[in-house]
């Protein structure tokens, strides 16, 4: 894996309110890398900062939020140093974004072919005809033969899964380095979910695409991704190889997440839930952020904020479980 | 805490629009009714030596072609304009509510007939209807209020009908019907109450329309007739003279009409924004 | 689709029929009746009775009502006693002038409102959007007759840049050379409240659209703000706008009555005003009817336009 080139390197990324200095950072000192052909899964509850990280990489943070620190490298380009205009050129060309809800992420009044072709033409220029030919071949690649060969197709004529394929086709229009899939299957039913994930897996293998897969579903992450990064309240709490991670999570939060997954074969055993709620905006407990909900919290957890371990298994916990699988 | 800070700031902003509207309207009412008791000049007194004199210390807003004080006439005109617009709105509101609730609560065929009729009525703009009726019968102030009220209700009626239809299928209204509550009781206790906020918002816009309509009618010479003062009428008689230099004859009545309409629009917009749970623009 | 279109056309026809009936009874219920307005309030009862007989006003209601329809069917709108001409021929020239003014105003208002609305929506709650919002409230609270008078005062009387009114020719016909000159002030006056109202409505539509995922998605694939605004948001936000433009027809006429009166612009609104002052019943009635029918047609056109624009339209 180390021989592959690093596609995306995020270092010390911190996102917070633009005007309120005292409010806490929503993404706090986050660092990670994704190599070409690799799929990194971002796991966390809603509000943990997963989607904000994606928005920060794209430079499209919601109004009122700002990147306060950190850098984002896409291959050799420092994205945070680019002007808005230069960054716009990268969006859609070097990095694609797939949204959670394919029902709303496509413009309802323009055909899907036109929306793909537009993306291609904006970045690559060329004739309209060439862009449309490109759109049709992309639609074929993501498995939408009818739209690839048939007449203009509008989003309302497609099912949710098919629309998500269109979103992926748009993201791939200019052969990007990186694809960020933000909960791409959450709005879809299980069978379609598997199909979309198969498609993503195939594409990253065929094209050497780096994929950042954002999900709240740990089982999905473990099954599909090469590596997993767990976020809690804006901070990375554990990072590691997906197989190892699922067998032996070392952070209590990761363990709790794993134990909350209903196993298909596990007839015995109760599902465990995580007591309490993640910290709201503003109020952060001193010490470890997870300590108030942690079943194995000790006194020092409430005072000292843990840092990420430098050696595997990498996690941010004062009392990690380091059992070898 | 951060969240609450935000919402509080929004509340203040949302509130400021409608409060400003209320304050403005109260100021205009004060000007029109209390003003004359505090002010020396009479609206009908003629100062023969001061014809068309520009604003000065004696006549703060100047005098008109007959030498009457513009400020005093503006106060009198305000009384007529605001009172007629108010009563016309009240009448229009009442008629519209009745019509809409009958359509909404009655059997389906009544609803269809009444709504088609409403469509036909809505096709003729209110001001055109006003002009038509004002042309065929000379009207005093009460007549004007009645006319304005009677031509302005279709919008409210449509709203009331739609709200009634929405309300009558709600569970608590069905429950009331189950236990034998009559039409009148249901209309009065449940449905009217449910649509009251929206009706109030639309009533303020109606009042703005009435001020505009009445002033427009008077400006066209079809509303309040001289020697009675009204804002629109002052503008009408002043328009010709303003061109030859007496700008004060149109600027002040025009501003008065503008401010009154603005007040009602601001009140309505503010209330509407609050009703929709968002900050005002 | 055909069935839905027929139903929509049927609705429009029914509305027109009801409108014609309504206007008939408005005239019929007039105290005194048309004869008084022709002969004057102090006319002798004998003269009134004679004229009523002559005009068929002594017939029973239903007979008058049928005659009313028959006349309308033949395009006979009555005879103007004050202008001494058939109303139908009288209205023609004035209607033409109004159409000219309204066309200029509609193009200006829709164009400006589109730009303002897009800007307002795109800026969300930030300062430019708030400024546009404040301007809108001011804009549609300003009465056209006040704005018009002030414009005349400034641009015609003081600066003498533009004519104060009329259209530069005989009462109802214009010399094309000076016509545009005469159109500027009335068109500006009439555009103001219309632009304010339209842009406010449109701005809210645009703001809602900007909250949609597809706008974020468009930004995420590298489209610039201009392309997003005109290529994506405009098309979706404009759908309700077509309905509104259909509903603009009456407001054009309402604003038109006052504006045309201020500027002595010989259009339909001005004619309505003059015939109201002179109690010229047949003309008055014909204009009311015409405006009503135009409104119904405007709404119908908006509906049909919507069907054409909206590929997702569903009929109920």
């Amino acid at each position: 894996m180390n021989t592959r080139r690093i596609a995306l390197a995020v270092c010390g990324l911190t996102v917070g309110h633009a005007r309120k200095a005292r409010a806490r950072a929503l993404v706090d000192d986050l660092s990670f890398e994704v190599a070409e052909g690799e799929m990194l899964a971002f796991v966390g509850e809603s509000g943990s900062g997963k989607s904000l990280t994606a928005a920060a990489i794209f430079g499209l943070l919601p109004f009122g939020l700002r990147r306060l620190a950190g850098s984002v490298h896409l291959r050799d380009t420092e994205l945070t140093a680019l002007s808005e205009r230069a960054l716009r050129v990268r969006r859609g060309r070097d990095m694609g974004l797939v949204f959670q809800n394919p029902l709303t992420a496509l413009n309802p009044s323009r055909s899907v072919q036109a929306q793909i072709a537009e993306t291609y033409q904006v970045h690559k220029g060329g004739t309209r005809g060439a862009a449309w030919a490109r759109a049709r071949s992309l639609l074929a690649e993501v498995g939408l033969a009818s739209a690839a060969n048939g007449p203009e197709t509008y989003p309302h004529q497609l099912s949710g899964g098919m629309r998500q394929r269109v979103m992926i086709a748009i993201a791939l229009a200019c052969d990007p380095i990186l694809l960020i899939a933000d909960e791409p299957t959450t709005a879809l039913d299980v069978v379609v979910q598997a199909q979309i994930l198969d498609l993503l897996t195939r594409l990253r293998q065929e094209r050497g695409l780096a994929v950042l897969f954002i999900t709240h579903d740990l089982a999905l992450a473990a099954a599909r991704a090469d590596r997993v990064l767990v976020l809690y309240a804006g901070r990375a709490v554990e990072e590691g190889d997906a197989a190892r991670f699922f067998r032996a999570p070392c952070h209590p939060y990761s363990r709790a997440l794993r134990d909350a997954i209903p196993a298909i074969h596990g007839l015995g055993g109760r599902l465990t839930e995580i007591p309490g709620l993640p910290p709201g905006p503003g109020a952060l407990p001193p010490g470890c952020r997870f300590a108030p909900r942690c079943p194995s919290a000790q006194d020092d957890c409430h005072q000292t904020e843990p840092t990420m371990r430098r050696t595997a298994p990498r996690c941010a916990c004062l009392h990690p479980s380091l059992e070898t699988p | 805490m951060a969240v609450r800070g935000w919402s509080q700031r929004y509340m203040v902003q949302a509130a400021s629009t409608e409060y400003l509207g209320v304050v403005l309207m109260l100021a205009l009412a004060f000007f029109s009714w209390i003003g004359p008791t505090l002010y020396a000049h009479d609206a009908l007194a003629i100062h023969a030596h001061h014809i068309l004199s520009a604003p000065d210390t004696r006549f703060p807003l100047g005098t008109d072609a007959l030498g009457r004080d513009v400020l005093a006439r503006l106060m009198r005109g305000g009384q007529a304009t605001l009172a007629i617009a108010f009563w016309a709105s009240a009448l229009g509101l009442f008629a519209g509510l009745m019509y809409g609730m009958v359509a909404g609560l009655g059997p389906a065929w009544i609803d269809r007939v009444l709504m088609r009729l409403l469509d036909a009525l809505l096709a003729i703009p209110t001001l055109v209807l006003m002009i038509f009726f004002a042309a065929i019968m000379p009207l005093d102030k009460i007549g004007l209020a009645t006319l304005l009220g009677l031509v302005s209700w279709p919008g409210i009626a449509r709203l009331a009908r739609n709200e009634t239809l929405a309300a009558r299928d709600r569970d608590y209204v069905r429950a009331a019907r189950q236990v034998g509550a009559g039409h009148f009781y249901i209309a009065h206790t449940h449905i009217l109450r449910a649509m009251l906020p929206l009706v109030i918002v639309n009533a303020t816009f109606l009042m703005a329309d009435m001020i505009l309509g009445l002033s427009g009618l008077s400006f066209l010479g079809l509303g309040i007739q001289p020697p009675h003062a009204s804002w629109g009428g002052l503008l009408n008689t002043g328009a010709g003279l303003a061109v030859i230099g007496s700008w004060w004859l149109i600027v002040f009545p025009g501003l008065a009409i503008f401010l009154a309409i603005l007040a009602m629009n601001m009140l309505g917009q503010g209330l509407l924004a609050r009703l929709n749970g968002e900050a005002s623009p | 689709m055909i069935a839905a279109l027929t139903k929509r056309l049927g609705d429009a026809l029914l509305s027109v029929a009801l409108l014609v009936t309504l206007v008939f009874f408005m005239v019929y219920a007039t105290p005194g009746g048309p004869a008084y307005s022709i002969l004057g309030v102090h006319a002798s009862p004998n003269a009134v009775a004679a004229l009523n007989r002559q005009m068929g006003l002594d017939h029973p209601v239903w007979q008058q009502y049928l005659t009313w329809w028959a006349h309308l069917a033949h395009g006979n709108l009555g005879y103007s006693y004050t202008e001494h001409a058939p109303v139908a021929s009288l209205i023609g020239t004035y209607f033409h002038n109004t159409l000219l003014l309204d066309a200029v105003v509609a193009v200006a208002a829709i164009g400006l409102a589109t730009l303002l609305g897009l800007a307002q929506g795109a800026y969300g709650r930030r300062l430019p959007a708030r400024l546009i919002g404040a301007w809108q409230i001011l804009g549609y609270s300003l009465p056209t007759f006040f704005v018009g008078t002030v414009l005349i005062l400034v641009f015609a009387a003081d600066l003498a840049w533009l004519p104060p009114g009329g259209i530069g020719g005989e009462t109802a016909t214009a010399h094309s050379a000076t016509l545009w000159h005469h159109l500027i002030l009335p068109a500006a006056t009439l555009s103001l409240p219309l632009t304010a109202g339209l842009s406010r409505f449109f701005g809210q539509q645009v703001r809602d659209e900007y909250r949609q995922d597809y706008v974020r998605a468009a930004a995420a694939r590298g489209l610039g703000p201009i392309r997003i605004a005109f290529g994506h948001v405009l098309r979706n936000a404009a759908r309700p706008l077509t309905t509104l433009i259909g509903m603009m027809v009456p407001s054009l006429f309402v604003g038109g009555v006052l504006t045309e009166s201020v500027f002595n612009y010989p259009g339909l609104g001005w004619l309505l005003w003059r015939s109201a002052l002179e109690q010229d019943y047949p003309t008055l009635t014909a204009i009311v009817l015409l405006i009503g029918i135009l409104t119904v047609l405007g709404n119908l056109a908006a509906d049909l336009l919507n069907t054409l624009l909206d590929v997702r339209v569903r009929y109920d």
Side-chain angles (χ1 to χ4, degrees), chain B residues 10 13 116-117 119-121 123-125 127-129 131-133 135-136 212 215-216 219-222 235 239 242-243 247 250-251 254-255 257-258 261-262 265-266 269 278-281, chain C residues 11 14-15 18-19 22-23 26-27 30-31 125 130 137-138 140-143 145-146 149 153 157 200 207 250 254 257-258 261-262 272-273 276-277 279 281 284-285 288 291-292 295-296:
Chain B
Y10 270 17
Q13 281 164 355
R116 283 279 134 232
L117 199 61
D119 278 348
L121 260 178
I124 309 176
L127 184 74
V128 174
L129 277 178
I131 291 174
F132 182 88
F133 285 112
I136 57 186
L212 180 65
S215 302
F219 175 77
L220 294 177
L222 293 162
L235 208 52
V243 182
W247 54 271
I250 60 159
V251 169
L255 277 180
I257 300 170
F258 165 60
I261 296 172
L262 182 67
N265 277 338
M266 285 173 78
Q269 283 296 343
E278 43 178 276
S280 64
Chain C
D11 273 3
L14 189 63
S15 289
L18 273 169
L19 192 69
L22 197 74
V23 171
M26 274 161 54
V27 178
T30 304
R125 296 196 188 286
R130 288 174 177 277
I137 287 202
L138 294 181
Y140 65 63
S141 297
L142 274 168
F145 47 91
F146 178 44
T149 320
L153 195 64
R200 180 171 203 86
R207 204 173 69 184
V254 171
V257 178
L258 292 160
S261 308
V262 172
L272 178 75
W273 174 49
L277 283 181
Q279 306 213 314
Y281 269 93
L284 202 56
T285 315
V288 170
I291 290 176
T295 309
V296 173

